[in-house]
Amino acid sequence: MRGGSVGRAERDIVARGARLHEAARAVVADHDRAAEAVRAALRPIHDAEVKRELDAIPVARLQDVTEGRLRLASVERSGLRTVGDVLEAGPYRLRRIPGVGERTVGQMLAAARRLSEAAHETVAVHIDVERPEPGTTALVTALHVLVEAGPDARRAADRATALSARLGPLLADARLAVGRVRMLLASQEKKERASAAVTGIRTLVDEADRAGLPGLLAQASVDLLRAPPSDIAAWVDFELRSAEYYSLLAEISGRQPDVAAAEGFLPDEIAERVRTQHLDDSLRRVSLRGYQAFGARFALAQRKVMLGDEMGLGKTIQAIAVLAHLAAGGRSHFMVVCPAGVLVNWTREIEARSTLRVTVLHGPDRHHAFADWRERGGVGVTTFDALRGFPVPAPGGEEVALLVVDEAHAVKNPKAKRSQAVAGWAERCERTLLMTGTPMENRVVEFHHLVRMLDGDLADSLGRRDAPAGSVAFRKAVAPVYLRRNQEDVLTELPSLQHTDQWEELSASDEEAYREAVLAGNFMAMRRAAYLRPEKSAKLDRLREIVREAGENGQKTVVFSHFKDVLRVVEEALVADGTPVFGPLTGSVPAGRRQRIVDDYTGAQDPAVLVAQIQAAGVGFNLQAASVVVLCEPQIKPTIEHQAVARAHRMGQVRPVRVYRLLATGGVDERLVRLLETKTRLFDAYARRSAVAEASPDAIDVSDTELARRIVEEEQERLGVRDTGLSAAE
């Protein structure tokens, strides 16, 4: 703008800035509206939960709050039995109770309100998928909008807020520049301010264009205004990814778990350093719970650490968050080491939850894959044994930005070659993240070696003598490298039921048994082939790991299978491990005997495992003692799985239930799961809750024989073996 004249270019810049500003404000408004819809749906449900809580607290508790100053006998005689009754009665009715004066009424109501406030802060809303009601349906559908929009919508809203704050004042100053007459009549100071504002707008608009922000804002607005196609669709999605729903619910409601517990009771100076650690989420596709974000920040801030969270708290996603942060900062090479049984899970989780490139460094071509990973970068995923064959990184720690070691308790023996290989890599990598759900502080000698991989000086300071398990002094001593949180401390709003499909690669022995079953056209033999040779069974090895970790965390397990011979294999393997096993509970066991088995299992000390035929245990038994459920193979009828899991996930269960379905890649399990999923998922979900479905589960399931025939034929074609006929019933 020379000489105070207004050019078309300046007007165009201001117009572009105004459109961008309007788009930013719209995204912020859309996101706020979606969040407010969640709060509005949550409010009556939460208030009802609080009322139930207060109605369960006896009036006598008011004595505790007032340190015994109240005399409540006459109040109870008047029919007011609970704190909820007192609050509902109010001051007028309370004053009419004989013997209750004005001062007592005031103290009583003040104490009741304190309990009410505490209940509002601590009571969590749990969404019951088995009993969808109008209120919970409204909450799930409101949450669905934000979950479906994903982290990109939240990022767009945050960027839009920042952009709007910068653009707004500039557009106000630049208004002068779009009118020739006003510009001519303006003072020199205003002209200069308008000119500077146009320059600022141009800079912001150009930056936004280069970053693709207009497209991001437009997509976010579309996503935030997209309602679910139906209530049923929202409920189905909630069942599939309930953790994401509860994560958003906790964030929007502001009802987070106890901060000290979520931060693993770390010393203040360490916790503060972790809190201030930035966490870049631009390459991550999933949101984190507050405690999960803290865990990722802990690994970044402390550089070489052990994450010892209890099973089911999402150690894998915390590790992926660290990987994504470092990749966003320009780091290129990362290594994940894990048992062979979870290698497939790691690759799928990284691909599903981040934009990072994954290379599997396993199998006969692993050395070629390693050379490719070294050249191109990304996340290399390998096994403990394969790692031994790869050259360690160069000294200095710059080649590999992060080494992740899953199931780190597997390398606790310093004399084992796998432990030595991991230790060599840990020494040469810039950062190391050891992960184990086993409470290692209960075995200080084993813990000592893992600490040495991370910090030799700290390991020396601990000494080799045993320390009191869980003692304050011990936790403080290992705080620089060790973070552990327990379910009961941080899962206040997570669902009581979590499903995990555990994909396993068949061993060579498994593959041979499977091929023989396919050649014979025996569908049932194909389904249980993974257990026919127990000594080299990949599924059985993973099952034993799950049971062991559950037991070490004080949890009981129930193992379901369709096949009696699979249950025998499982029982023999677990007994050989020294695990107390109850059952097998099968259809041939008389009903009275079955209940005694369940009662004995319930009364047993941890760890204990009940093995049961899924058809026999699916109906009529309460298995609340189990908080870990293992399904040895996928079932042909989904209703059978749901009914069996419901034996543990029912009223009276006090811990979250974790369900593991063991699946083999590339064969009958994968085809069975895919075929069942391609049925009309929403119809299944609706029918499963209907009276018709409860009375006749077969009404919504495909024909067993037809399904078996299709899978056998497809597998025979895939493996190139001769079709010898179907023997599905064997």
Side-chain angles (χ1 to χ4, degrees):
M1 289 182 294
R2 296 181 178 178
S5 63
V6 181
R8 177 177 296 176
E10 285 77 15
R11 289 196 296 272
D12 287 346
I13 285 296
V14 173
R16 287 172 62 195
R19 288 194 296 271
L20 185 60
H21 185 238
E22 184 59 33
R25 291 178 61 191
V27 167
V28 173
D30 292 340
H31 194 275
D32 288 347
R33 191 179 304 112
E36 183 52 39
V38 173
R39 294 188 194 97
L42 173 64
R43 205 169 292 121
I45 300 173
H46 184 256
D47 289 346
E49 291 289 339
V50 170
K51 186 177 187 307
R52 273 193 286 273
E53 180 84 2
L54 296 173
D55 285 344
I57 301 175
V59 166
R61 280 290 305 279
L62 298 177
Q63 290 276 20
D64 302 335
V65 180
T66 60
E67 299 179 351
R69 293 194 300 269
L70 291 174
R71 295 175 181 167
L72 301 170
S74 57
V75 175
E76 292 182 89
R77 283 196 299 270
S78 73
L80 303 181
R81 305 288 183 184
T82 70
V83 172
D85 292 340
V86 169
L87 288 169
E88 189 172 345
Y92 176 74
R93 183 180 169 189
L94 292 173
R95 282 195 295 267
R96 292 172 60 86
I97 298 174
V100 176
E102 190 73 29
R103 183 180 177 186
T104 300
V105 169
Q107 291 176 334
M108 197 182 334
L109 286 174
R113 290 185 187 115
R114 284 172 61 187
L115 290 174
S116 177
E117 290 168 3
H120 272 88
E121 290 295 322
T122 58
V123 167
V125 169
H126 294 278
I127 300 171
D128 190 345
V129 297
E130 298 300 326
R131 298 180 184 84
E133 298 174 350
T136 52
T137 297
L139 178 58
V140 169
T141 53
L143 284 166
H144 179 274
V145 173
L146 289 166
V147 171
E148 190 67 14
D152 280 348
R154 176 58 186 270
R155 281 193 285 268
D158 290 342
R159 293 177 68 178
T161 299
L163 179 65
S164 184
R166 296 174 66 188
L167 263 179
L170 291 175
L171 287 169
D173 288 342
R175 276 201 301 267
L176 190 65
V178 298
R180 288 189 176 91
V181 175
R182 280 184 294 174
M183 194 67 172
L184 289 171
L185 297 177
S187 66
Q188 186 62 32
E189 180 187 354
K190 288 185 177 180
K191 290 177 181 177
E192 291 175 355
R193 193 161 65 238
S195 179
V198 171
T199 301
I201 293 169
R202 179 184 288 109
T203 299
L204 288 178
V205 169
D206 288 346
E207 288 177 354
D209 285 344
R210 285 194 297 271
L213 188 56
L216 179 65
L217 296 179
Q219 185 62 53
S221 280
V222 170
D223 292 340
L224 289 167
L225 294 174
R226 184 185 294 121
S230 68
D231 292 349
I232 297 299
W235 275 109
V236 170
D237 194 58
F238 172 77
E239 290 192 53
L240 291 174
R241 43 180 178 167
S242 56
E244 293 181 46
Y245 280 74
Y246 276 102
S247 177
L248 273 169
L249 186 60
E251 180 182 326
I252 292 172
S253 68
R255 296 183 184 93
Q256 299 288 353
D258 178 71
V259 173
E263 296 179 351
F265 302 100
L266 292 178
D268 290 341
E269 64 274 13
I270 296 178
E272 183 57 32
R273 182 161 63 251
V274 173
R275 292 183 204 115
T276 58
Q277 167 68 49
H278 171 63
L279 183 61
D280 191 313
D281 66 352
S282 58
L283 301 183
R284 184 166 21 96
R285 291 188 172 125
V286 66
S287 299
L288 301 180
R289 293 293 305 240
Y291 74 87
Q292 292 172 333
F294 185 86
R297 289 189 172 95
F298 176 77
L300 290 166
Q302 299 300 98
R303 303 180 76 82
K304 296 198 173 189
V305 301
M306 189 188 321
L307 183 61
D309 286 346
E310 189 177 9
M311 180 172 58
L313 293 186
K315 292 186 287 294
T316 301
I317 185 56
Q318 294 176 66
I320 292 173
V322 179
L323 293 167
H325 170 93
L326 294 171
R331 303 311 304 271
S332 59
H333 287 73
F334 315 94
M335 180 67 75
V336 173
V337 189
C338 60
V342 296
L343 186 143
V344 175
N345 279 4
W346 267 102
T347 59
R348 293 189 179 197
E349 286 291 293
I350 294 170
E351 290 171 344
R353 299 177 183 275
S354 76
T355 62
L356 304 184
R357 180 175 178 270
V358 185
T359 302
V360 177
L361 311 177
H362 182 58
D365 294 329
R366 60 185 178 276
H367 291 289
H368 294 297
F370 183 83
D372 180 70
W373 166 78
R374 235 178 179 176
E375 180 182 349
R376 301 176 62 191
V379 184
V381 183
T382 191
T383 64
F384 291 112
D385 291 334
L387 184 72
R388 293 165 49 196
F390 300 143
V392 296
E398 296 182 0
E399 183 180 353
V400 179
L402 176 66
L403 171 69
V404 177
V405 183
D406 194 14
E407 306 287 353
H409 46 271
V411 293
K412 62 182 180 293
N413 180 4
K415 296 180 181 179
K417 291 182 178 179
R418 62 166 51 180
S419 302
Q420 294 167 3
V422 169
W425 274 73
E427 183 181 1
R428 298 292 186 90
C429 293
E430 182 179 348
R431 286 180 169 85
T432 300
L433 174 57
L434 306 182
M435 295 165 46
T436 173
T438 301
M440 298 300 295
E441 69 267 28
N442 292 340
R443 301 182 188 83
V444 178
V445 174
E446 296 174 358
F447 188 89
H448 185 277
H449 175 63
L450 296 180
V451 172
R452 182 166 296 282
M453 289 187 187
L454 306 170
D455 187 333
D457 292 339
L458 177 58
D460 290 338
S461 70
L462 291 177
R464 293 191 174 275
R465 65 187 184 281
D466 283 354
S471 73
V472 174
F474 182 77
R475 290 295 290 269
K476 185 175 182 180
V478 299
V481 300
Y482 183 59
L483 176 66
R484 177 176 172 85
R485 281 78 56 91
N486 296 314
Q487 285 188 355
E488 62 185 15
D489 294 326
V490 296
L491 291 189
T492 55
E493 293 196 37
L494 279 177
S496 57
L497 182 64
Q498 303 168 57
H499 285 275
T500 300
D501 278 347
Q502 198 77 48
W503 290 94
E504 307 294 330
E505 285 192 63
L506 294 178
S507 67
S509 179
D510 292 335
E511 288 277 12
E512 185 179 350
Y514 181 73
R515 190 178 184 87
E516 291 174 1
V518 174
L519 180 62
N522 190 326
F523 178 67
M524 290 305 191
M526 289 162 58
R527 292 182 63 200
R528 60 182 187 269
Y531 299 92
L532 290 180
R533 301 176 182 180
E535 64 281 359
K536 295 183 179 179
S537 167
K539 274 193 179 185
L540 184 61
D541 286 346
R542 182 56 184 147
L543 186 150
R544 292 164 73 181
E545 290 174 4
I546 292 169
V547 168
R548 173 188 50 75
E549 187 170 344
E552 290 174 344
N553 284 292
Q555 296 171 299
K556 292 180 179 177
T557 304
V558 58
V559 177
F560 290 118
S561 175
H562 176 86
F563 305 102
K564 293 181 181 180
D565 53 353
V566 170
L567 294 179
R568 281 195 296 271
V569 167
V570 170
E571 181 184 13
E572 290 171 4
L574 295 179
V575 169
D577 290 344
T579 304
V581 178
F582 294 80
L585 199 161
T586 69
S588 60
V589 177
R593 173 64 182 150
R594 290 190 214 176
Q595 188 59 58
R596 284 196 296 275
I597 292 174
V598 172
D599 292 344
D600 291 343
Y601 164 74
T602 301
Q605 294 295 313
D606 302 325
V609 177
L610 174 68
V611 293
Q613 198 171 16
I614 197 164
Q615 305 94 314
V619 179
F621 293 94
N622 298 333
L623 300 175
Q624 295 100 317
S627 51
V628 176
V629 177
V630 179
L631 303 172
C632 290
E633 70 283 324
Q635 303 306 305
I636 296 177
K637 294 182 175 67
T639 48
I640 294 177
E641 289 187 9
H642 297 316
Q643 289 170 353
V645 171
R647 296 308 98 204
H649 177 230
R650 59 186 295 113
M651 188 178 298
Q653 177 59 255
V654 296
R655 298 193 68 175
V657 175
R658 187 84 175 184
V659 180
Y660 294 90
R661 184 166 60 163
L662 302 183
L663 303 169
T665 59
V668 62
D669 288 358
E670 191 158 320
R671 291 187 181 275
L672 184 57
V673 169
R674 188 166 63 246
L675 282 171
L676 292 174
E677 286 178 347
T678 56
K679 293 193 306 175
T680 310
R681 198 175 65 183
L682 301 185
F683 174 76
D684 284 354
Y686 175 78
R688 198 162 63 238
R689 296 186 181 90
S690 73
V692 173
E694 292 297 329
S696 179
D698 292 346
I700 64 164
D701 288 307
V702 296
S703 161
D704 292 3
T705 303
E706 177 58 26
L707 182 64
R709 187 178 302 280
R710 286 173 58 190
I711 292 176
V712 169
E713 290 173 351
E714 289 172 3
E715 283 299 278
Q716 288 180 334
E717 181 178 355
R718 181 178 72 87
L719 297 177
V721 299
R722 185 170 57 87
D723 184 355
T724 59
L726 172 66
S727 179
E730 290 183 18

